[in-house]
């Protein structure tokens, strides 16, 4: 397991009866984004949190509010592949506070607002893994996903990543480049406003936001790495490139050059997260489909 199996008090998500009749314009919203040292929660750690409070008018326009923008010392080296995407390296977070020194202030900023994140289950997994690691209390806020919402509200988008949607809808701006936490939070805010407009939504039920996402428990992070893949663990620590043979995907069974980033679990299935040099992007590989590992 990547994290100690320690019980954490889990708040009950707000029920559909409480949420369905709330009007969108009466809610305090917070758009959120997180950057981390990699892509495997429970192994990697948060390096930046960006959040922006706002309200929505009757017409679906944004009324901006306070912002939260903080760098976090992850206590781990930031891999070069992550630094290249985000612009955040070890020097950028030198002297920044650790997550446990930021947590209470972040919780106060969120309060009991309704939090929006693009791919919110991932953001919740990051926050939950850090709470579990540091024995911090779960956040009080309700969480909702703009990725799921956008699939209802935005038709025929080429892709449903945050960047692709912002460009498809003409929401991208010079104020907010992509792949930094606060910038992506602002894009998430603007995407949400457009979804409200597209659906003509008055209540949360009109948006399909009838139940907040649950806070993840310890079982989410339990990873049972197959014995044959344990040789990857020192390569992960050293960020060392290797090759894997994988059953599945478009590349067939040709050896794939990767930099392994970490192991994580999704619905109980262990995955290897790695930077795939064939596609120059981060990918997830089911551990039971990794047939062999070869050093470079």
């Amino acid at each position: 397991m990547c994290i100690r199996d320690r019980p954490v008090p889990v708040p009950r998500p707000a029920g559909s009866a409480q949420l369905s009749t709330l009007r969108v314009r009466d809610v305090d919203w917070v758009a959120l984004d997180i950057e981390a040292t990699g892509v495997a929660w429970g192994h990697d750690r948060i390096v930046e949190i960006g959040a922006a409070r706002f309200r929505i008018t009757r017409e679906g326009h944004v009324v901006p509010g306070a912002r939260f923008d903080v760098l976090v010392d992850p206590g781990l080296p930031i891999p070069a592949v992550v630094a290249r995407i985000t612009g955040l390296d070890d020097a950028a977070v030198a002297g920044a506070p650790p997550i446990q020194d930021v947590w209470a202030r972040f919780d106060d900023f969120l309060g009991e607002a309704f939090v929006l994140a693009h791919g919110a289950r991932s953001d919740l997994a990051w926050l939950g893994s850090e709470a579990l690691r540091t024995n911090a209390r779960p956040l009080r806020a309700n969480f909702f996903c703009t990725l799921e919402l956008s699939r209802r509200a935005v038709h025929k988008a080429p892709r449903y990543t945050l960047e692709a949607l912002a460009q498809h809808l003409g929401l991208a701006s010079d104020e907010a480049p992509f792949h930094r936490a606060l910038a992506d939070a602002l894009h998430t805010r603007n995407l949400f406003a457009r979804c409200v407009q597209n659906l003509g939504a008055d209540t949360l039920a009109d948006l399909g936001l009838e139940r907040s996402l649950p806070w993840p428990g310890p079982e989410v992070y339990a990873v049972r790495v197959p014995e044959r893949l344990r040789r990857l663990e020192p390569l992960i620590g050293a960020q060392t490139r290797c090759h894997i043979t994988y059953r599945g995907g478009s590349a067939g069974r040709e050896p794939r050059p990767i930099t392994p980033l970490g192991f994580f679990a999704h619905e109980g299935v262990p995955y290897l997260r790695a930077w795939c040099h064939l596609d120059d992007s981060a990918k997830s590989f089911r551990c039971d489909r990794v047939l062999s590992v070869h050093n470079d």
Side-chain angles (χ1 to χ4, degrees):
M1 293 179 60
C2 289
I3 294 186
R4 293 186 302 276
D5 193 3
R6 180 174 59 240
V8 171
V10 178
R12 304 174 79 183
S16 57
Q18 297 172 268
L19 299 180
S20 60
T21 59
L22 287 176
R23 293 187 299 184
V24 176
R25 64 180 181 271
D26 292 338
V27 171
D28 290 319
W29 300 99
V30 177
L32 169 70
D33 188 72
I34 288 169
E35 302 293 340
T37 59
V39 286
W41 47 78
H43 170 81
D44 290 299
R45 296 182 188 173
I46 292 173
V47 297
E48 187 178 38
I49 301 173
R53 296 185 72 92
F54 67 100
R55 300 291 292 265
I56 292 287
T57 69
R58 183 188 298 270
E59 296 77 22
H61 300 306
V62 169
V63 180
R67 297 179 179 184
F68 185 94
D69 186 17
V70 64
L71 293 174
V72 177
D73 180 357
L76 294 174
I78 298 176
V81 291
V82 173
R84 179 156 57 87
I85 295 171
T86 65
L88 295 173
D89 56 17
D90 294 341
V93 299
I99 190 67
Q100 54 265 40
D101 291 352
V102 171
W103 195 263
R105 182 158 53 98
F106 181 50
D107 188 26
D108 287 343
F109 178 84
L110 295 182
E112 297 183 359
F114 287 18
V115 176
L116 300 159
H118 203 71
R121 295 178 192 276
S122 175
D123 293 86
L124 269 171
W126 282 116
L127 293 166
S129 68
E130 292 286 34
L132 190 59
R133 180 176 67 85
T134 62
N135 204 28
R137 294 185 61 83
L139 300 170
R140 295 167 288 163
N142 295 289
F143 284 79
F144 302 92
C145 182
T146 56
L147 173 59
E148 296 174 6
L149 172 59
S150 65
R151 294 188 187 279
R152 293 167 46 94
V154 182
H155 302 298
K156 298 182 179 178
R159 291 181 300 147
Y160 283 83
T161 65
L162 181 60
E163 184 171 0
L165 284 166
Q167 292 174 346
H168 175 69
L169 297 170
L171 303 176
S173 69
D174 292 337
E175 178 194 9
F178 293 96
H179 308 304
R180 289 294 301 270
L182 181 59
D184 283 354
L186 295 175
H187 286 302
T188 300
R189 178 197 70 183
N190 297 339
L191 171 62
F192 176 71
R194 181 63 62 87
C195 289
V196 171
Q197 295 169 12
N198 286 0
L199 293 173
D202 180 53
T203 68
L204 270 63
D206 296 333
L207 296 171
L209 305 183
E210 299 182 0
R211 184 174 297 276
S212 63
L213 296 173
W215 185 262
E219 69 281 355
V220 171
Y221 309 104
V223 183
R224 291 174 175 81
V225 180
E227 189 64 35
R228 72 181 188 283
L229 298 185
R230 291 197 176 275
R231 61 181 298 186
L232 286 170
E233 292 176 340
L235 302 183
I236 290 169
Q239 293 293 299
T240 300
R241 179 168 160 154
C242 65
H243 284 74
I244 62 170
T245 305
Y246 188 69
R247 175 172 54 84
S250 58
R253 298 198 182 187
E254 290 296 317
R256 304 178 188 222
I258 66 164
T259 298
L261 301 174
F263 292 103
F264 71 102
H266 178 66
E267 296 181 350
V269 177
Y271 285 80
L272 167 68
R273 195 64 167 166
W275 191 265
C276 180
H277 297 283
L278 285 178
D279 302 317
D280 197 29
S281 65
K283 291 197 170 182
S284 298
F285 300 95
R286 279 183 57 133
C287 287
D288 60 350
R289 295 179 182 173
V290 179
L291 304 179
S292 59
V293 177
H294 314 277
N295 292 339
D296 274 8

